[in-house]
Amino acid sequence: MLYVLLNWGYLFATAFLTGFAVLRPFRRLGYCCGKATGMLMAGLAALTVYAQVFSLFGGVGLWANVLLILFCLLVIVLWHRQLLSFWKKKTAAAGPAGLVLLACLILLMAYGTSRGYMHVDTGLYHAQAIRWIEEYGVVCGLGNLHSRFAYNSAAFALCALYSMKWLFGESLHTVQGFLALVVAVQCAGIFGIRRRSHLLVSDFVRLGAIYYLTVLFGEMVSPASDYFAMLLLFYVLIAWLDLMERKEGNVTPYALLSLLLVFAVTVKVSAAVVLLLVLKPAIMLIRDRKWKQIGLYLGLGLGICIPWLIRGVLISGWLLYPFTFLDLFQVDWKIEKGYADCDAKEIQVFARLLYDVNLYDTPFAVWVRGWFAALKGLEKVWVLSSALGVVAGAGTIVYTFLAGRSRGARKVDWDWVLYAFVLIVGYLFWQFSAPLVRYGYVYIVALPTGVGGFIYCHLFGRGRKEIGRRLFLIAAAIFALYKAADLAGAISRTAAEPYYIRQQDYGTFEAFTYEVDGVTVYVPADGGQIGYDLFPSSPRVQEIELRGKGKETGDLRYGFRTAGSENTP
């Protein structure tokens, strides 16, 4: 736990200073980010891009951090007065109670990040993917060694940047917990109800995000890309509502949140559906003919995507593995199209609990019954609530449109129309594609809480604001007590574990070996998890070979390809 706190101190300083630097130019567009969470999220996005670019040239380790530290020192030298002024204002605004709450959140989240359940996929490939980035950066054809490396989540590059094995003697995995802490601080905005006489839609979505954080608490120790994506989307959806509800007229904060959505897509491609929110800043910019700003944001979006896309091509030979509709590159390390297509189908049949790729075309009406029956109790409640939320959400869109039209075309609340539409499409996309709950917690939580919040705040809550506020506070207090007892039980079960100094390490598993051109490759004995230490690993014995000079020297930097590939390196 002490290692987690030390790592977080460094992570906080570098992410905040980086975010402060990258957001400062936007002052010229009339926008000044006044929230530390906004600075941190901007910094994390920028540092993920930095880590990916660095990985194109070598391992993301000590030297990547040396350059980062030099950059942060430069930021301090240039803007030390502004930084001091910012934190003086933040500290004064938070007050003693706010600082105590922050300290409690930090200790609670650090505890959860120090120990817990290590997700199965972390043992399968997450840990190995991070180690490859730590030691080699990106390697051509790595997906031929293990196809899951080709999923290429940008989150692993950020994890490698802050794993700091060169300092702590072990590869830390604390970034997920830090991101959860940032979202928890954002959710603490719910205490603003004390100063308001009415509820906001964002209060309801914040409560849903707090529920997700309690679900995630026992697994924050695991650097799973699904959780990274869910946390990012919760942050953006809440921040977007905050802008809507204060009637923000400046396009810049919406555009910056849209860039965070692009970042979320590089973490998990399935997050792309929420990119529909970008329609708002796009329309605002086009309407005002701000062509330079349009070019700026398009350029920044490409800047976020390009290193990730390059990594994907180098790892798999495909632009967006396992999707093969874009077949642009003929390289010797390319994963076979048939294998990639099968992999894409396996993701969906696994999420539908069918477990057989031959059942991919099973009709929805057939597989949904077994799938729903297998959900846990509260998961059933959230899914049913989301299904109802589709109908209710569509109703709010119709109501908003008709009510606005009755007062004039410009009175339509297009912000809510777009927001509700995105929530509905996000849920439907998840439900009919790969409906594993951990793939789409944000969709099944944000839809019913967001739509329910809108219905209350804009329809039933009018004229009864104080009563509604009190009822919400009572319900939130009951929920908090229930979850506090739940967390207390989880903490008591893990309190005896020896992770108050060090962090719980990756798991260790049995394996056997085979050789690829003189290089020993580990294979999990049970066909599943392999962990971090047995490196390099492959899920099974495969007909692959090292590329180019690697075949003669055994140098892993040259990468892998299918044995006997007709293409030349």
Side-chain angles (χ1 to χ4, degrees):
M1 185 172 172
L2 177 61
Y3 282 12
V4 172
L5 290 170
L6 292 173
N7 185 266
W8 277 5
Y10 174 70
L11 204 168
F12 170 81
T14 51
F16 179 81
L17 291 170
T18 301
F20 186 89
V22 299
L23 289 179
R24 190 157 182 82
F26 291 94
R27 288 172 175 264
R28 298 180 180 179
L29 300 178
Y31 174 70
C32 177
C33 181
K35 294 185 177 181
T37 51
M39 301 281 193
L40 288 170
M41 293 302 290
L44 290 173
L47 289 172
T48 303
V49 175
Y50 164 69
Q52 291 181 99
V53 171
F54 200 97
S55 74
L56 299 178
F57 303 96
V60 181
L62 172 60
W63 286 108
N65 281 273
V66 169
L67 291 179
L68 175 57
I69 291 170
L70 292 175
F71 171 77
C72 289
L73 289 174
L74 179 62
V75 173
I76 293 173
V77 170
L78 291 176
W79 295 304
H80 58 280
R81 293 179 182 175
Q82 293 87 338
L83 289 164
L84 285 173
S85 175
F86 179 90
W87 283 111
K88 284 181 180 179
K89 291 178 181 178
K90 288 286 114 181
T91 304
L99 294 176
V100 170
L101 175 62
L102 177 61
C104 292
L105 283 176
I106 291 172
L107 291 175
L108 178 65
M109 292 298 185
Y111 182 92
T113 307
S114 68
R115 71 203 72 197
Y117 171 71
M118 193 69 71
H119 197 277
V120 173
D121 281 2
T122 296
L124 288 173
Y125 76 101
H126 296 164
Q128 290 272 317
I130 291 170
R131 183 166 177 178
W132 274 103
I133 299 171
E134 289 173 346
E135 298 186 14
Y136 292 93
V138 64
V139 171
C140 291
L142 188 60
N144 290 299
L145 181 68
H146 197 316
S147 64
R148 296 193 180 193
F149 293 150
Y151 295 163
N152 183 34
S153 174
F156 298 146
L158 186 65
C159 289
L161 180 64
Y162 287 107
S163 63
M164 303 179 78
K165 184 178 181 181
W166 47 271
L167 178 62
F168 291 97
E170 61 184 82
S171 181
L172 299 183
H173 30 95
T174 66
V175 180
Q176 180 113 268
F178 184 82
L179 184 57
L181 174 61
V182 174
V183 175
V185 172
Q186 181 194 41
C187 288
I190 200 171
F191 289 105
I193 296 174
R194 295 178 295 119
R195 300 186 299 271
R196 290 187 262 111
S197 61
H198 61 285
L199 295 175
L200 298 172
V201 179
S202 57
D203 294 328
F204 292 82
V205 180
R206 275 184 166 89
L207 202 59
I210 292 171
Y211 169 81
Y212 178 70
L213 289 172
T214 64
V215 172
L216 181 62
F217 183 80
E219 300 184 30
M220 286 191 301
V221 69
S222 182
S225 55
D226 300 316
Y227 304 150
F228 273 98
M230 295 300 100
L231 289 168
L232 285 170
L233 291 179
F234 267 119
Y235 176 86
V236 172
L237 289 174
I238 293 171
W240 200 282
L241 270 178
D242 287 342
L243 295 176
M244 285 169 50
E245 292 179 318
R246 72 168 185 249
K247 305 297 182 183
E248 177 62 57
N250 190 335
V251 67
T252 304
Y254 293 106
L256 291 174
L257 286 177
S258 298
L259 291 175
L260 278 183
L261 287 175
V262 176
F263 168 44
V265 172
T266 68
V267 170
K268 197 76 176 178
V269 176
S270 59
V273 65
V274 187
L275 267 175
L276 288 169
L277 284 174
V278 78
L279 287 172
K280 176 177 174 59
I283 291 171
M284 292 174 71
L285 289 168
I286 293 171
R287 182 186 60 203
D288 295 336
R289 299 183 179 181
K290 295 182 178 180
W291 310 119
K292 290 183 179 180
Q293 288 189 41
I294 291 174
L296 170 66
Y297 294 123
L298 286 175
L300 290 172
L302 287 173
I304 293 170
C305 283
I306 287 175
W308 170 69
L309 292 172
I310 292 174
R311 279 182 50 82
V313 172
L314 293 177
I315 292 172
S316 68
W318 296 93
L319 193 66
L320 293 171
Y321 183 90
F323 307 109
T324 60
F325 59 90
L326 289 175
D327 190 356
L328 305 176
F329 306 96
Q330 298 303 317
V331 289
D332 69 290
W333 63 82
K334 190 172 188 175
I335 296 176
E336 294 179 359
K337 183 179 185 301
Y339 188 95
D341 291 336
C342 183
D343 200 2
K345 291 180 179 179
E346 282 184 352
I347 294 172
Q348 296 193 39
V349 296
F350 175 79
R352 297 168 182 174
L353 306 185
L354 297 176
Y355 307 118
D356 183 352
V357 72
N358 294 313
L359 299 176
Y360 175 77
D361 293 322
T362 302
F364 172 80
V366 175
W367 63 257
V368 73
R369 287 173 289 181
W371 170 83
F372 185 78
L375 295 176
K376 299 176 183 178
L378 285 178
E379 292 174 351
K380 285 185 171 73
V381 173
W382 283 115
V383 169
L384 286 174
S385 299
S386 295
L388 292 174
V390 171
V391 178
T396 66
I397 291 174
V398 173
Y399 167 81
T400 300
F401 180 78
L402 294 178
R405 294 288 292 184
S406 67
R407 298 191 300 269
R410 294 189 178 183
K411 296 294 184 179
V412 176
D413 186 358
W414 293 109
D415 284 350
W416 174 253
V417 170
L418 175 62
Y419 193 87
F421 177 74
V422 169
L423 293 181
I424 292 170
V425 171
Y427 164 71
L428 292 175
F429 172 79
W430 169 82
Q431 180 67 82
F432 290 97
S433 58
L436 197 63
V437 171
R438 65 182 170 87
Y439 291 172
Y441 239 121
V442 70
Y443 304 123
I444 63 172
V445 171
L447 175 59
T449 55
V451 170
F454 179 88
I455 290 174
Y456 178 81
C457 293
H458 294 271
L459 299 179
F460 300 137
R462 294 178 178 179
R464 298 185 292 272
K465 292 182 179 180
E466 182 58 28
I467 295 175
R469 189 177 75 92
R470 291 179 180 178
L471 289 175
F472 182 88
L473 287 173
I474 292 171
I478 294 172
F479 168 76
L481 290 172
Y482 167 71
K483 279 301 179 180
D486 195 26
L487 287 176
I491 291 172
S492 65
R493 289 191 295 271
T494 57
E497 295 179 357
Y499 300 120
Y500 290 96
I501 303 297
R502 309 177 76 91
Q503 184 187 28
Q504 177 183 326
D505 205 354
Y506 293 112
T508 56
F509 306 91
E510 296 294 326
F512 63 90
T513 64
Y514 75 106
E515 288 197 355
V516 175
D517 295 325
V519 175
T520 299
V521 177
Y522 294 89
V523 178
D526 64 352
Q529 300 182 82
I530 193 68
Y532 179 91
D533 294 327
L534 301 180
F535 180 86
S537 75
S538 177
R540 57 191 171 276
V541 177
Q542 301 185 96
E543 294 296 323
I544 58 175
E545 62 185 13
L546 291 174
R547 299 177 59 252
K549 293 182 181 179
K551 194 173 181 64
E552 303 170 2
T553 62
D555 192 337
L556 297 178
R557 290 176 297 179
Y558 288 93
F560 302 86
R561 65 176 188 169
T562 303
S565 175
E566 295 182 0
N567 295 322
T568 56

